[in-house]
Structures are given as C-alpha cells and as structure tokens.
Amino acid sequence: MAALFVVSSILLFILLSLDSATSFQIADPQWHPATATWYGSAEGDGSDGGACGYGSLVDVVPYKARVGAVSPVLFKNGEGCGACYKVKCLDQSICSRRAVTIIVTDECPGGYCSGGKTHFDLSGAAFSRMAVSGHGPQLRNRGEISVVFRRTPCKYHQQNIAFHVNEGSTPFWLSLLVEYEDGDGDIGAMQIQQANSAQWLDMRHVWGATWCITAGPLNGPFSVRITTLSTKQTLSARDVIPRNWSPKATYTSRLNFS
C-alpha cells in the first residue's frame, strides 16, 4: 500500500507539473490550415493604423512590415489584437521553408475573411517574405493562397509594456491602449488602481486593443494590471501613469511578460 501511495503521489506531481507548464505556454507546436492574401503596396508595411487602434505604431519597428489583418475567428472582437502568429505558404515551387511572424493589428471582416474562415490579410512585405528569394512578385500575383499558421509568443526585444492614453481621456473617462506586450500579446482583462487606494477598478473593453473606465474624478498616479486572454497571466505596473498625465502621451513600464 505504501509503495502504491508513493507511485500515485509521483504521478499526481507529474500531472500537476505538466498542467502548470502548459497552462502558461502560448506557443503552438501544431500547424493549422488557413488562407492568405495581401494588401497595400507590393513591398509596403500594410495598414495605416487598423482596427486594433495602434495608429502610427504599425509604420515603425518592431511592428513595421509585420502587421496583419485577420478574420473574425482570430480577431475575437478586438481581444485578439496584439497576438503573434507564424505563417508560411505550402507550394514548394515558389515558397521558402521559413515562416513570417506577424502581429495582429487589424481585422478583415468580409470577402475572403467571411463565412467563418481562418484568413490572414498580410502586408505586401510580409506576404512576399514567404516566397523563395526573388519570387515575391510571382507569389503576390497568385492572389489568395493556402498557408499554415501557428500561434507564437510575441517578442519585443528590449521593450517593456507601455500604456498609451488615448485622445479625449479625462479624469472622468480614461482610455488606454497597451503596447509591446511580450508573450500572449492579447488582453482578457484590465484594471486600474488610483493613488492612495488599495482597490482595483475594472476597465471595460471598448474596441480593438482599447480599454476604458468611466468613473471619477480619477486621481493619479495610476497603477495598471492586465490579464492575458490566452493563458490568464497577470502583470501589475505600479504607478506607471503619473499624476500629471496627458492625453495622447505614452508611459512605459519597467515590466514585461517573459
């Protein structure tokens, strides 16, 4: 009986360890079928802004040329914003073996993306990178192509999570956009804590990657806590938004998921 108890305990420990290890693992080892198109200029960076609300960030590194619009099944009403995927095409006569890594910055709601399809509408530059060197134009000429994709952790090297205060924010209506989130990239919940308070106030998902709170007057500095959508990891940035905050300003934390 004692030996059976020891064996059972070891098995339980292994199962709990596996569950703990996989519950915070966003990388998907399996490739899944999808389709892809491209938009914008042939070697361009893709959308200017997009439905996620990242604005001019999509035109600069690390977003530059890595942006992608996805169908509603991946966009998830905006909660899929910021997620990262590896995408590669399949035709060995023209496609390279390497995958391109893209960041969800926009939604493609109709056309190729409708009807519950899993579809990526990539920037011209990202689409072309799936081709064998020198064959980007030929690949683009094919229009819609078959691809495979898988989720991958986002990696913003030497960047910490930042919070952009959206235009129009006031002490009674505060709207935030999260930038440079490593790991999951997505957000499932967001809370804010005022100065001299132990209470965390729930923020509401508005659209894209934007969250807001209607209360007030709200008193800074503010701490912000985010919970990822996919693996439910939590990060709290203490006093990241100063007392004298300004709309349209971006405040960088000292933290990131890694």
Side-chain angles (χ1 to χ4, degrees):
M1 291 292 291
L4 180 62
F5 175 77
V6 172
V7 172
S8 299
S9 299
I10 292 173
L11 287 173
L12 179 61
F13 174 77
I14 292 172
L15 288 172
L16 288 175
S17 299
L18 286 173
D19 182 65
S20 176
T22 56
S23 62
F24 293 102
Q25 180 57 259
I26 193 62
D28 185 353
Q30 301 297 321
W31 292 97
H32 307 280
T35 52
T37 48
W38 63 280
Y39 68 107
S41 58
E43 295 292 341
D45 300 332
S47 61
D48 181 11
C52 289
Y54 294 120
S56 59
L57 273 183
V58 302
D59 298 322
V60 297
V61 175
Y63 290 89
K64 184 179 177 67
R66 298 174 64 200
V67 305
V70 293
S71 56
V73 294
L74 296 179
F75 190 71
K76 302 173 185 176
N77 293 318
E79 290 187 335
C81 288
C84 296
Y85 294 90
K86 287 186 178 295
V87 184
K88 63 180 180 178
C89 56
L90 301 173
D91 187 341
Q92 295 182 358
S93 68
I94 195 171
C95 298
S96 71
R97 293 183 178 182
R98 69 178 180 272
V100 61
T101 300
I102 65 102
I103 306 163
V104 175
T105 62
D106 203 354
E107 180 185 24
C108 57
Y112 291 117
C113 300
S114 61
K117 291 178 60 178
T118 302
H119 186 85
F120 293 85
D121 198 16
L122 306 179
S123 69
F127 193 90
S128 300
R129 286 178 185 174
M130 293 189 292
V132 174
S133 180
H135 288 71
Q138 292 94 314
L139 185 63
R140 292 194 302 271
N141 286 341
R142 296 195 175 184
E144 184 186 27
I145 62 172
S146 295
V147 297
V148 289
F149 76 98
R150 68 183 183 188
R151 188 78 178 271
T152 190
C154 297
K155 296 178 181 179
Y156 298 104
H157 299 290
Q158 299 181 337
Q159 291 271 17
N160 286 330
I161 288 179
F163 299 91
H164 178 77
V165 181
N166 288 316
E167 185 176 4
S169 290
T170 72
F172 295 88
W173 183 82
L174 181 62
S175 175
L176 301 178
L177 176 79
V178 181
E179 302 171 351
Y180 308 122
E181 180 193 336
D182 276 348
D184 292 12
D186 56 24
I187 300 172
M190 195 161 161
Q191 296 170 305
I192 195 168
Q193 187 182 70
Q194 299 183 76
N196 304 315
S197 174
Q199 182 182 11
W200 287 98
L201 304 174
D202 290 332
M203 301 190 76
R204 177 173 58 87
H205 180 232
V206 183
W207 60 277
T210 297
W211 294 69
C212 80
I213 183 170
T214 303
L218 297 167
N219 299 307
F222 301 115
S223 299
V224 183
R225 181 162 67 190
I226 62 176
T227 302
T228 66
L229 177 68
S230 298
T231 62
K232 313 303 180 188
Q233 295 185 77
T234 298
L235 178 149
S236 298
R238 307 296 303 184
D239 298 333
V240 64
I241 300 176
R243 179 181 59 82
N244 58 340
W245 59 270
S246 300
K248 300 194 290 185
T250 300
Y251 302 100
T252 303
S253 74
R254 298 179 180 179
L255 306 167
N256 213 327
F257 295 106
S258 59

